[in-house]
Amino acid sequence: MCDHYVEVKVQLEQMKSLGEDAEKQGVDTEQVPVSSVSPDPSSITLAGRDASNTSITCKHRGKSHSKSGKDDKNLCGKHISGVSVSTHVGKNLNRLEHEQTLHIKGTGRILQGKSETNGNYVTIHPSKNIQETRREDGYNLARKRKPVTVDSSKAKTSLEALKLSIKQLKWKEFPLGRRTACDIYWHGVSFHDNEHIVSGQVNKFPGMIEMLRKINLSRAVRTMQELFPEEYDFYPRSWILPEEFQQFSTQICMVKENDATVNPTFIVKPDGGSQGDGIYLIRDPSDLKLMAGSQAKQAVVQEYIQKPLLVDKLKFDIRLYVLIKSLEPLEIYIAKEGLTRFCTEPYQEPCQKNLSHVFMHLTNYSLNVHSGNFVHSDSQNTGSKRTLSSVLYRLAAKGVDIKKVWSDIIALVIKTVIAVVPELKVYYQADIPPGKPGPTCFQILGFDILLMKNLKPVLLEVNSNPSMRIEHEQEVAPGVFGYVPSPVDEEVKVGVIRDTLRLMDPRHRKPSISSQLRAGGFEHGEAIPVEGETRERNPDEGGALPSLCLKPVYPKYTKQFNYLRLAERIAALFIRFLGVKGNMRLGPTAFRTFIRTCKLSNSNFTMASVDILYIDITRRWSGAVPDSREAGMGLQAFVEAFFYLAGRRFKSLVLREQVVSLLELCEAQLEAQLGIEDRRSLSCSRALPRAIKTQTLSLNPLLSSPAPLRRAASQDYRLHQRLNPRTLRANVEN
């Protein structure tokens, strides 16, 4: 018997004796698999057959394995002192290490040893308690993975829900701010709550407040209604006051003249109003309150939905939370759970007598909470504020197709976001120009949706700052009011904030879809994975957190809705010709450059006509938007001009086809010009002296790369990558 066999037998006897000692103490032993340092298949494992046996992992390293290999082979086929030895022999036994590990269950001790290159075993010694080892491993992992930092100094009313969310995620909060940069900044009102952020992520988009004011939202949706009237019929017919007062009055008079029995009701909403403030119902244009002192009131008047769906004879609306994770690429998530807010008086169709009954017609929580009939309930199924799922369950019990309702709501949300994104991109490039240090943005929006009696969803409004308060005001003693926890609010809102943070976790940021497209990661038409579905589990979560309550809907449903993004293509042209970074309006020279570059002028439409068109449209929009920050042509005015140019050039087509045709024409001209500029830059680099060329190429990596990669890396190409005529034509046809 060789020395190696004797020594191994002695070591196994020692291990067995340790196991017997453990059994005498009433402790069972178990086999614990030990991960090897290298995934080399040539490891040799010695494993016990029963609970009292031991497990030994042996790895051999050496240049020659002739004799000792035979001994080991003989050894591993035998039972040694009650220990069964199994062998896994790999093809390559070079560069292997010899290691032995023994774990005795209950004692928490690990016996380890190493062998020399000749196969002789050196030592076996007890290691630290396995719980301590795991604790140290977790500590080392925590040291490597620093917790995400959140600046909550500007959180305001959402602070309590944010604190709970950060605590559940085991992240680090800075309630008073921090001198060094944080990973996430949580603002309570707008992007500009903190003006000195140059990195990280902010939970507000620049311009979102302005874009979701009632007038601007109505204008954005109206533009889409002109292009896709059937797709955007979920928004009530609206008029903007005071500029469209005469048009509103004329149309209402015509309706009443044609049918005397028709007496529609309208709801008036102040442009900057919130929480139901200033909202009232009218049945005649003469009832409008157009003046506030000496100034005209900016407002929107809409058709009132007279036949809403009722639950317990009460009118209600849905507050749905929507996350815009990014604009480029566009990523939209919808919360699976929402709130339903009930009126506090039984509903009756509006008549002249009950027009002023706000508790019957208006679902705003901030109004109904002051009603004597308002019910605060700890249950999610009762009270004046309930979860959306509880209402849907009741509807499902009555035979309502809930899947169809959800599908319609998702379509409404995606279409609305597509309508407001073009203007948002203009605001975004003004506050965070390309190439300038700045944060990335995301935002939670509050969609207020009403279900009609026929279950069709109707968009009432979109809130840029939905209330995230998880407590409500209540009379805690006679005449004494205080804030008490609201279980329904906490259930919904904490989940939305927590899972928004999980999605925005900087430690799990993946390459953007646009960068993957540039790198050849996805082909046109290939399914694009959604991060919310393929995301790896956060190691810090440890399985304690529930699954995400936010459902990804875009780009998941790109094929169904991508054809609607015509206004974004117009906005891309607009941004292309803005020129000066941070600018939001086209000047006359920039507009002329657009016409000239896209070759839209001819003998019938001279540059003098172009100037007249610019002055006419800009002057009209300047009167419609008195509080504009700059002079010039804004995006909405540019869209009007673009529609005019499309109608002039393609007279025989309907408006949508006119716009598509003009877009393809402009994009083709820009693409051709870009190719000419690339050829010029290439010829200039060839004309340089050899020494200067070499120095220039080494300093500028864009010039040293092939032409397609250089274009992909250039800023202009990034702006116009989506303006490829073939790709966009295919999208429109879809």
Side-chain angles (χ1 to χ4, degrees), residues 57-114:
T57 303
C58 307
K59 294 183 179 179
H60 299 263
R61 177 168 57 186
K63 296 181 180 178
S64 174
H65 213 77
S66 56
K67 296 182 179 180
S68 61
K70 293 179 181 179
D71 295 338
D72 293 339
K73 185 175 182 181
N74 295 332
L75 165 68
C76 295
K78 302 179 180 179
H79 286 0
I80 303 177
S81 302
V83 178
S84 175
V85 184
S86 62
T87 309
H88 303 281
V89 182
K91 293 181 180 180
N92 184 8
L93 294 179
N94 295 332
R95 295 179 243 154
L96 295 177
E97 212 173 306
H98 186 92
E99 224 178 3
Q100 295 182 344
T101 303
L102 172 69
H103 173 230
I104 301 177
K105 183 178 180 181
T107 63
R109 290 187 292 178
I110 299 176
L111 302 181
Q112 295 178 333
K114 286 185 175 290

Side-chain angles (χ1 to χ4, degrees), residues 46-62:
L46 310 179
R49 284 194 303 179
D50 46 47
S52 64
N53 292 336
T54 61
S55 70
I56 307 171
T57 303
C58 307
K59 294 183 179 179
H60 299 263
R61 177 168 57 186

Side-chain angles (χ1 to χ4, degrees), residues 232-303:
Y232 282 82
D233 62 348
F234 57 82
Y235 193 69
R237 189 166 52 155
S238 306
W239 296 265
I240 296 170
L241 302 177
E243 61 186 273
E244 295 176 355
F245 170 73
Q246 195 61 44
Q247 178 184 348
F248 170 66
S249 300
T250 302
Q251 291 181 359
I252 300 309
C253 290
M254 290 178 60
V255 169
K256 291 183 178 181
E257 288 176 0
N258 294 334
D259 189 350
T261 61
V262 175
N263 193 10
T265 304
F266 302 91
I267 184 168
V268 184
K269 304 176 182 178
D271 181 41
S274 62
Q275 299 180 343
D277 184 36
I279 298 178
Y280 59 97
L281 273 60
I282 62 170
R283 308 200 82 180
D284 192 271
S286 60
D287 297 330
L288 282 170
K289 305 170 186 176
L290 294 177
M291 302 299 293
S294 59
Q295 294 183 345
K297 281 186 176 180
Q298 296 281 322
V300 170
V301 56
Q302 293 179 327
E303 286 182 313

Side-chain angles (χ1 to χ4, degrees), residues 39 107 115 163 190 260 286 327 430 438 478 589 625 731:
T107 63
S115 69
K163 283 181 177 293
S190 76
S286 60
L327 290 182
T589 303
V625 189
N731 291 340

Side-chain angles (χ1 to χ4, degrees), residues 139-153:
Y139 176 73
N140 293 333
L141 180 64
R143 290 186 63 184
K144 293 178 182 178
R145 295 180 62 85
K146 295 182 180 178
V148 178
T149 55
V150 181
D151 183 337
S152 61
S153 59

